[in-house]
Structures are given as C-alpha cells and as structure tokens.
Amino acid sequence: CDRRQRQMCIRDSSMAIKSLSIRIDETMLHKLHVVADYEGRSANNEILILIRDAIEAYEEKHGKIEL
C-alpha cells in the first residue's frame, strides 16, 4: 500500500476491529495529536499506521509473523 492508501489497507487487512486502551503521558498525547493533524489523520489512525509500520519493519528483519 502506498502512503495515500494506508488507512484503507489497515481496514482491509483486519478481520475484526478490536479496542485497546493505553496509558500515555499528556505531553506525548499532545505531540501525537500534532503529528496526526499534520498528516490529516485522527490520533487513532495515526497510531494504527505507526503500529502497522512497526510490524512491517519487524517482519522485514525477522520474517513474517504466522498466526
């Protein structure tokens, strides 16, 4: 998926949408919102993209994660 298609790819690749609660420092949360706004995304979508990118980088280094 290219940069413009990332949000759709996240949705297409998920079998079911799950909820995850995290604890985050107020300053980090504010900075997340700044980055997300700059990218034209919600904070939630920005987090999903960051997670997806981290998983892709892990799999490039260590091989595909089999579920």
Side-chain angles (χ1 to χ4, degrees), residues 1-13:
C1 299
D2 67 27
R3 188 170 182 86
R4 287 171 270 141
Q5 296 173 322
R6 289 179 184 219
Q7 182 177 347
M8 189 58 71
C9 290
I10 290 169
R11 288 187 184 145
D12 290 344
S13 66

Side-chain angles (χ1 to χ4, degrees), residues 22-61:
I22 63 169
R23 292 178 191 90
I24 186 169
D25 173 85
E26 185 176 358
T27 301
M28 188 179 295
L29 179 60
H30 178 72
K31 289 179 179 185
L32 170 65
H33 281 279
V34 170
V35 173
D37 289 344
Y38 178 81
E39 296 291 340
R41 302 181 182 116
S42 67
N44 187 77
N45 280 339
E46 186 66 26
I47 291 168
L48 291 175
I49 287 168
L50 293 169
I51 292 170
R52 192 218 43 230
D53 290 350
I55 291 169
E56 286 178 359
Y58 178 92
E59 288 183 327
E60 285 179 17
K61 184 174 181 180

Side-chain angles (χ1 to χ4, degrees), residues 9-22:
C9 290
I10 290 169
R11 288 187 184 145
D12 290 344
S13 66
S14 62
M15 294 170 62
I17 302 299
K18 302 292 184 183
S19 179
L20 173 68
S21 177
I22 63 169

